[in-house]
């Protein structure tokens, strides 16, 4: 889906058409709002659309490091056929969980980069999603003395920080 074909109103309609019956079917007490853009205070992500969940079952979405929230996002984007290279444009969140996770990743990346600069030894992160790896790369792209690479094959793909020599 090239930029000229990206129609936010169409994407919103397709997300609603998929999520409304799905949430009814699984009988979750969840509502969602679609809002243009992401967090105003996040320099690491800038989605075109945030799908924000609320309701009594939000904690189910956030259990196990947001596993169900991420799975619901993945399933929805697959179902509505958003190409992989465009998925950064939509983010699912609840109780600002994703924003807190992004800040956690940023802080961890900065700490790891300092360790790499100090020791000269590469730092290997645990395997994570492409979105989280992207956040690490963006967080460190302007940090002097280090460079990042993603290595391995899914589901073991991970980011490595190397000294920039």
């Amino acid at each position: 889906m090239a930029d000229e074909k990206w129609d936010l109103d169409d994407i919103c309609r397709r997300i609603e058409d998929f999520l409304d019956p799905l949430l009814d079917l699984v009988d979750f007490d969840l509502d969602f709002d679609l809002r243009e853009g992401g967090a105003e205070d996040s320099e690491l992500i800038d989605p075109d659309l945030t799908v924000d969940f609320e309701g009594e079952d939000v904690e189910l979405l956030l259990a196990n490091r947001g596993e169900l929230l991420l799975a619901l996002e993945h399933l929805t984007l697959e179902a509505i056929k958003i190409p992989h290279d465009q998925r950064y444009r939509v983010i699912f969140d609840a109780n600002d969980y994703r924003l807190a996770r992004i800040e956690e990743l940023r802080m961890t990346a900065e700490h790891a980069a300092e360790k790499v600069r100090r020791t000269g030894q590469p730092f290997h992160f645990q395997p994570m999603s492409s979105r989280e790896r992207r956040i690490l790369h963006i967080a460190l792209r302007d940090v002097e003395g280090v460079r990042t690479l993603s290595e391995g094959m899914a589901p073991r793909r991970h980011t490595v920080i190397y000294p920039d020599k």
Side-chain angles (χ1 to χ4, degrees):
M1 177 180 292
D3 280 347
E4 61 270 11
K5 293 182 182 179
W6 183 265
D7 179 347
L8 194 57
D9 290 335
D10 179 56
I11 300 298
C12 289
R13 181 192 51 76
R14 290 166 42 204
I15 288 172
E16 288 174 339
D17 289 350
F18 180 76
L19 281 180
D20 281 334
L22 178 65
L23 294 175
D24 286 343
L25 181 67
V26 296
D27 200 29
F28 280 179
D29 183 5
L30 289 172
D31 293 311
F32 62 93
D33 290 318
L34 302 172
R35 63 181 164 82
E36 198 168 330
E40 295 174 12
D41 61 345
S42 178
E43 58 197 46
L44 297 179
I45 62 164
D46 188 23
D48 295 338
L49 179 67
T50 299
V51 181
D52 218 353
F53 290 89
E54 58 185 25
E56 288 187 28
D57 289 333
V58 159
E59 293 307 316
L60 292 173
L61 291 179
L62 300 180
N64 298 317
R65 295 185 64 177
E67 187 174 57
L68 187 54
L69 177 69
L70 298 175
L72 188 58
E73 177 182 87
H74 178 77
L75 181 65
T76 302
L77 297 180
E78 282 288 325
I80 68 170
K81 300 186 183 335
I82 301 294
H84 286 274
D85 66 341
Q86 298 292 311
R87 291 189 178 183
Y88 68 91
R89 299 176 82 167
V90 179
I91 189 169
F92 282 33
D93 202 358
N95 295 346
D96 291 330
Y97 169 81
R98 295 294 288 277
L99 295 177
R101 176 68 176 148
I102 289 163
E103 181 61 16
E104 176 188 2
L105 287 169
R106 184 193 63 75
M107 290 173 39
T108 302
E110 288 175 359
H111 178 74
E114 179 56 37
K115 182 177 180 181
V116 169
R117 281 198 307 263
R118 190 176 67 251
T119 66
Q121 297 297 312
F123 183 91
H124 295 257
F125 285 91
Q126 293 295 317
M128 58 184 68
S129 71
S130 61
R131 284 185 182 226
E132 290 189 340
R133 289 193 316 273
R134 182 175 188 269
I135 290 165
L136 295 175
H137 293 299
I138 292 170
L140 297 177
R141 70 179 164 203
D142 295 327
V143 174
E144 290 187 34
V146 297
R147 61 188 170 87
T148 60
L149 290 173
S150 288
E151 297 181 352
M153 301 289 288
R156 306 283 312 150
R157 195 148 171 85
H158 62 282
T159 300
V160 183
I161 304 175
Y162 289 100
D164 193 17
K165 293 183 180 180

